[in-house]
Every structure is written in C-alpha cells, then in structure tokens.
Amino acid sequence: MKKYICLYLFFLFPCFVCKASSPEDVIFLNTGKIYVAPNEISGTSLYIPDGMRVLSDTVKIVLNGTAEVGGNFYQDSRTNVFDIDSEGITTSTGTFSFVSTRAVRRVINTQTEDINTFDRASYYVAFPKIRIETDDTVCISPKMGIDASGIHLGAGKAGFLYLCSDTCTVGLGVYNASLRIPTTGFSSEELVDLGSVIFEQKMKTYRTGTQLFAFATPFKNTQLAGYFAGNWVRKPETGTFLHTTYVLGNKPAASGSSQIHSDQYVTDAISVLQPGQAYLIKPRPNGFNYSDLQSTGGLAITGALAGAYDLDKFVFNGRVYTIAPYKEQLFAEDILFSYTFQDATDLSGTVNWLIGNSYTCPISTQLLAEQMLNSNLIFAPYIYVFPTGSTSYQPLDISGDGDAITVTDIDEVPSTSIFMIRLSRNQTGTIPANTTFEVGKNLLRHGNISHNLLRSSKSTANNQVIFKITPVNNGNIYDLAAIGIRENASLESDAYDISKIYTSAPEGFQLYTLSGSGSKLSVNGVPTDVETVRMGLKPALAASSYKLKALYTESLTTEGIWLEDILTGEKIDLAENPEYTFSSNPSDSEVRFIVRFKNAFTTINQNDQEENNSLNIFYSNRQVTINNLLSTDINSKIYVYDVLGKTIRTFAVNEYPAMTFPADFPDGTYIVYLEGNRNISLKFIKSDLN
C-alpha cells in the first residue's frame, strides 16, 4: 500500500536530508513550495543518502511544486531521487530552482565513490525542470550525471549549469559531466535557454602532437571553429548517401602527396560547427610556441596573446579569444542523425555513416546495435567508436554471437565523441523508397564514462587476447588490437576479422595484426591450431617509448602466449609478464612483433644461439644474400618487409649456408625476418650506391 508524505512549505531549513529505514512504497510528495537554505558550514542544502535505496525503488520523491535550494546538492543514493516516470501521480512535473546568489561555485556532486570506480548509471539524478535563479555557477561534477526535462534562466540572472571535465587520478582517462534532456517533441530553444549550459573539455592530456582528437560540437548552430585556433580542425567530407570516404579526414591533396586536401579542413575562425558532424582536432603539443603562428598571420582573426591558446581545457561558453562574446545554444533535439532513401535504391558499395554524438550524454552502443538490427537495413556487424584518447577507431562487435571477438568492452559512445556505422551493400534487395534510419536521444544512457578504460573484469573474454599500447609517458593515449581463437576461423580473412581503419598519414601510432593474406586488422579470428600471428605498429612521427600490455591471457586455451620483438630479438612470456616496454623510431619497420601461441624458443640450443649471432645479410648488384644459414633452417619462412610493414617478398629457405634472392624492388630500407627453428630479424639498405 502506498503511503504519501506531503511537503508543502519549508523555510530556512539548513540541511534537508531524505532518509528511510524500511518503508514500503513511501512517496515524498511536494505540490507546494520548498525553500532549503544553505548549510553555513559546508554549503550543502540537499543530501540524499544511500538509505533511500531501501527495497529497491519503493522510496520516491515526487516534485510537482517548486523546490528552491540555496546551496549544494549531494547525491549518494542509488535512486534517481526525483521520480519522473509516466505513472500519473508519481511523475515529477515541478521545478527545481537554484536560488540565493552566494558568489561561489556551487555543485551537484556525489560523495560515495572515487572517480576511478564510480558508475554514474547507479547515481544520476533525474531532475524535473531546472531553473537558475542565481548569478552563481552551478557545477556538475565530472563523475556526475543528471537528467533535466528543461533548463531555464531567471529574468536578469547570469548563472548557468557548468559541465565539468577532469582527468582520473590513476591515468584512466578524462571524465565529462553527463547531462541528458529526455523531453521529446520540442526544439532545443524550447527545452534549454540560450547560454544556460557551459561545457568544458579537458585537453592537456591529449596535447601530444601525435594523434587526432575526435569531437562533435554539443551546441546547435552557434559554436565557432575559433575555439580551436592554432590547432588543426578537420571535417571529413560526405558524398552520396552521406557516405564518408576518408573517415579520418586524410583525403590526399590533388598532387597525390602526403599532404591532406584543403577541403578537409575548417580554416575560418568564425565558421559555425554543426551538430551531428564529426570533427577531428589535431592539438598542438604542450609547450608549442603559438607566437610562431601569430607572426605568420595564423591567429590574425582570433588575436590575443599567443600563450592563451596553449590551454589545459577548452571552455565552450561563447567567448572565443578576441571574437565578440555570444551565448551558445545546447543541442537537445530529438534526432541527431537521419537519412531517408527518397527513391528505391540499390547500393553499389558500402556506405560509411560517420556521426558525431553532439549530446552531452553517452549513446548506449547496445541500444544503437539493437536499433540497427531491428531496422529493415543490413549493416556491417560492428560499430566503430573513436573514444577520447584512442589513436584510431575501435570496433565493437554487435552480432550477439557467443563466439564474438571484441577489441574493447566500452559500452557507449562518449558525449561529444564520434562513431561510424557501415551500411552494407549486401542488402537482401532494393532498399524501398522512403526507408529512414535515425539516431536520436532515445539511445542516451548515463553509464560508466571512463573514455579509454578497459574494465578490470571482462565476462565476455573467451579464448582471446587484447593488446593495448600506450606511450610510457602518457597512459591516456592508446590503441588496441584483438586476437581470438575460434574453431571455425582461418588464418586468412574470415567473418571474425574486422579491418583496421588504418591511416598512412603521419598522425599517431597505430597497432594492428595481419591476416595470413596480409590484411591489417583490429580484430583477428584465428583457428585453434594457430602457431603465430604477425603484429604491426605504425610508428609515430617522433621517436618514443611505448608499453605494450596483453589483457585476458588467462582466457586462452593455447599452449601459452609469447611475444617476439623482431627488431630487438626480445622474447617475452606474456602469460608470466604481460607488459613489454620498448622504443620505436619513425624509420622502423611496421611489422614489429610475432605473437606466438606455441613456444618455439626452447628448441634453440646453445650452439644454435651462437650461430644466430653470426647470421648476416648484405645487398649487392641488385641481389640480397643471407649468410650462415643452418641445415635446420631448411623450409623456414623468410619475409621481406618495407618500413611501412608491407610484405615485399615471402619464400622458404631451400639451401644453406647461404641463399641469394633478387632485390627487384625500390631503393630503401628493408627488414628480413627468418621464421622457423630460429627467429631472427635483419635489416639491409638497398641503394644503387651500395
């Protein structure tokens, strides 16, 4: 039986604490007006403790009147505080107001858990309407999530909600406060007052100068590109069917050089960034001297002192350096992305739909996958997400098959990040006219917002290993690759494999494995009798040190797992020591590692090891000769790679102690890898001057 406790009018109550012991269907109902003054010591007005979680959701606060709060709000309960479902009397339809200007930064926060373990899906607050009747800034903690059916400003008030961003203390990435406006059927302007929400993005962590930063504007038709003055802003162009050919915005210039075409860049500071559009920012590295740009006219429009551009955070609030301040309009539309086939259509190729999540709340990849599967369209069975900190798109398998291989287990598209879904050309027939696919706010969910966190436990890890690579000096920058052992997989390309979205442009490092046919993969399904898999690293522009970590090796049913560094000769038992630190130079061959699932190293005896040291290679007269081969090397494989990791030549050893093969390929540096009883890499330079 439901019990109603009606709260009509409270004055100057210093700290309102909602707590229950063991009630049954208790509802706190306010249909009048409450005023809760700030506590003079802590500034806390409302504190919702975990006691509210008694008997699941049986304790509810229904706000159908007005609650005015003069201080801070702390939410420690695994309820949503204010009930806003569609069950008549239990629906909150009132207004929660922040009042009493105190000239301080006020907060909506949680005290229960540390940011590194916090799951906001359990703690977010479902406010009804929020009204800012103060000049104070109301800060939403980076780990906090809130719903609001609308956000409005009092007449003449200068306050606003401030969505904070910060870095975890143990190097797991950046958290952004999460704001969801679930109300449908209205425009952004009707739901959120212009200038009532400020958004910030922690950037210093990603100022490495070696990667792209995925970004989708959270504002509607107001945010200017000038925020990123002095940093490259790319906008991958779309064509027929909204298909994006160059999803990293790396379309080559007309000259065919390594330069990127000018139509991929946003160069005007007063260009308006569009919601739903995917942008890629190339931040200048920390300490970059922006005066170099200023002296060449690069900052002519935005002006200001050069040091103003080397920012720890970008704060999107309508103040863009010396450009006239303006108020920005939060994006809160029902539909983020929509495409309708006007006519009956036969697809001749795969269509890449590249979408920016302009909501200030994550999109659930599970809900997105369900929407894709339930549509009358056929998609590739994975979603590519570009999480903050990643150096490339990470594919999430959506097949629902227990044998699926996942490269990472993030379950969301972070707010203001970007993702891609691929419409397959292999439709069951002609796509009927007026067929529409949409992505909207119904897919939004508050959840664990760790942007580049591989969770400590992975229930779906099944006979697979994930490799994560990070710079030694910055654990927030990373890339991933996965290998899964499957009974019906092959070494060649198969249904388990997911291609790497690979760039030859000189951005950040990228990690991938190679199929038996040489395809670069993010996910590589291999058979149960697999012995080796080649793994490549595209080096960054500058020499750097990296940490390569193998995750979920305990799930493997193979003999074990070993890593061989072809360049250095290092051999590591990853089951015993899952981390390997190494250095990389831009000129290094991309095919850097061999992952072994059978131990080939114990077969090398001491005499053979001594012989290893004398193996040598040289180039002369357009021929390459390998000396000091052994009889035990017969039938071993020899691979020749260029510095980009491309396989130039593959053959078997059929003679010893020396073997010669023609070097009918361009001048340059090459790696020769001997694979068999011995596993040795050698480097040679082909040049007409040799």
Side-chain angles (χ1 to χ4, degrees), residues 601-612 630 677:
F601 305 132
T602 55
T603 62
I604 302 177
N605 59 40
Q606 184 62 35
N607 290 334
D608 283 345
Q609 187 64 50
E610 291 174 357
E611 292 288 350
N612 285 348
L630 305 175
N677 273 341

Side-chain angles (χ1 to χ4, degrees), residues 58-369:
T58 59
V59 180
K60 304 176 186 296
I61 300 176
V62 180
L63 179 60
N64 287 344
T66 300
E68 295 184 346
V69 174
N72 299 325
F73 186 110
Y74 282 91
Q75 149 70 335
D76 277 349
S77 172
R78 294 188 190 96
T79 71
N80 301 133
V81 186
F82 301 103
D83 191 56
I84 59 166
D85 61 21
S86 57
E87 298 177 4
I89 191 66
T90 59
T91 300
S92 292
T93 59
T95 300
F96 189 94
S97 293
F98 289 92
V99 298
S100 302
T101 297
R102 300 173 57 218
V104 295
R105 287 169 66 96
R106 292 163 52 187
V107 296
I108 300 175
N109 203 354
T110 183
Q111 296 176 320
T112 299
E113 292 189 37
D114 181 81
I115 193 171
N116 299 300
T117 58
F118 183 77
D119 183 356
R120 72 172 46 140
S122 300
Y123 288 90
Y124 75 90
V125 184
F127 289 101
K129 296 183 184 71
I130 291 179
R131 191 168 182 84
I132 309 295
E133 291 279 2
T134 175
D135 292 336
D136 292 344
T137 299
V138 181
C139 297
I140 314 299
S141 163
K143 62 179 178 178
M144 199 65 216
I146 68 170
D147 280 357
S149 58
I151 301 172
H152 301 283
L153 297 174
K157 298 300 180 182
F160 41 73
L161 283 183
Y162 191 110
L163 304 181
C164 298
S165 174
D166 209 347
T167 307
C168 296
T169 57
V170 294
L172 298 180
V174 165
Y175 280 50
N176 294 331
S178 179
L179 167 65
R180 176 173 57 177
I181 311 294
T183 311
T184 58
F186 298 90
S187 67
S188 295
E189 293 82 355
E190 294 173 290
L191 294 173
V192 184
D193 284 353
L194 190 71
S196 62
V197 178
I198 304 301
F199 177 84
E200 76 175 10
Q201 177 68 66
K202 182 89 170 183
M203 280 297 297
K204 201 172 188 70
T205 298
Y206 306 109
R207 283 188 174 279
T208 64
T210 63
Q211 71 165 105
L212 296 173
F213 175 84
F215 179 76
T217 173
F219 297 106
K220 179 186 177 184
N221 298 324
T222 53
Q223 186 181 331
L224 301 184
Y227 278 115
F228 299 104
N231 304 284
W232 298 108
V233 182
R234 291 190 202 167
K235 183 183 71 172
E237 292 291 332
T238 60
T240 306
F241 305 124
L242 296 184
H243 169 71
T244 305
T245 302
Y246 297 93
V247 298
L248 289 166
N250 59 347
K251 173 184 174 182
S255 63
S257 67
S258 60
Q259 298 295 316
I260 294 173
H261 198 286
S262 59
D263 68 9
Q264 301 290 291
Y265 288 101
V266 179
T267 57
D268 190 342
I270 59 174
S271 294
V272 178
L273 304 184
Q274 299 298 322
Q277 168 73 49
Y279 295 93
L280 294 156
I281 316 300
K282 179 74 177 300
R284 302 286 182 176
N286 286 315
F288 176 77
N289 187 357
Y290 282 86
S291 62
D292 292 343
L293 293 180
Q294 199 169 40
S295 63
T296 57
L299 303 178
I301 295 178
T302 50
L305 297 176
Y309 300 93
D310 192 9
L311 302 178
D312 181 34
K313 294 180 180 179
F314 287 128
V315 180
F316 304 105
N317 64 353
R319 297 182 182 274
V320 189
Y321 309 107
T322 59
I323 293 176
Y326 64 98
K327 292 182 178 180
E328 291 177 320
Q329 176 63 60
L330 189 78
F331 177 79
E333 303 291 301
D334 293 350
I335 303 302
L336 174 70
F337 170 86
S338 179
Y339 185 80
T340 299
F341 291 88
Q342 302 294 335
D343 305 307
T345 303
D346 292 308
L347 293 180
S348 59
T350 300
V351 174
N352 297 328
W353 280 341
L354 189 59
I355 305 168
N357 176 19
S358 290
Y359 294 117
T360 49
C361 182
I363 290 174
S364 165
T365 53
Q366 178 182 348
L367 294 177
L368 176 59

Side-chain angles (χ1 to χ4, degrees), residues 462-574:
N462 173 28
N463 212 8
Q464 71 177 57
V465 59
I466 294 176
F467 291 95
K468 180 177 184 180
I469 186 169
T470 62
V472 168
N473 60 357
N474 192 342
N476 295 304
I477 310 298
Y478 71 98
D479 199 15
L480 301 166
I483 301 173
I485 313 297
R486 299 294 182 264
E487 289 187 357
N488 54 344
S490 70
L491 290 175
E492 309 301 319
S493 297
D494 56 41
Y496 290 110
D497 298 341
I498 301 179
S499 298
K500 185 77 173 181
I501 294 185
Y502 180 84
T503 175
S504 58
E507 312 301 351
F509 57 92
Q510 288 186 302
L511 188 70
Y512 58 87
T513 62
L514 289 170
S515 70
S517 56
S519 299
K520 294 173 179 174
L521 303 174
S522 283
V523 172
N524 194 347
V526 294
T528 55
D529 61 351
V530 64
E531 295 190 7
T532 63
V533 172
R534 290 175 291 164
M535 187 160 66
L537 170 67
K538 174 184 175 291
L541 273 174
S544 186
S545 294
Y546 296 97
K547 180 184 294 183
L548 183 67
K549 185 173 183 179
L551 304 166
Y552 315 119
T553 57
E554 69 280 359
S555 74
L556 295 174
T557 58
T558 56
E559 178 183 318
I561 180 168
W562 294 264
L563 180 73
E564 180 179 0
D565 187 332
I566 300 173
L567 185 61
T568 66
E570 290 283 330
K571 303 174 180 66
I572 304 97
D573 185 338
L574 293 175

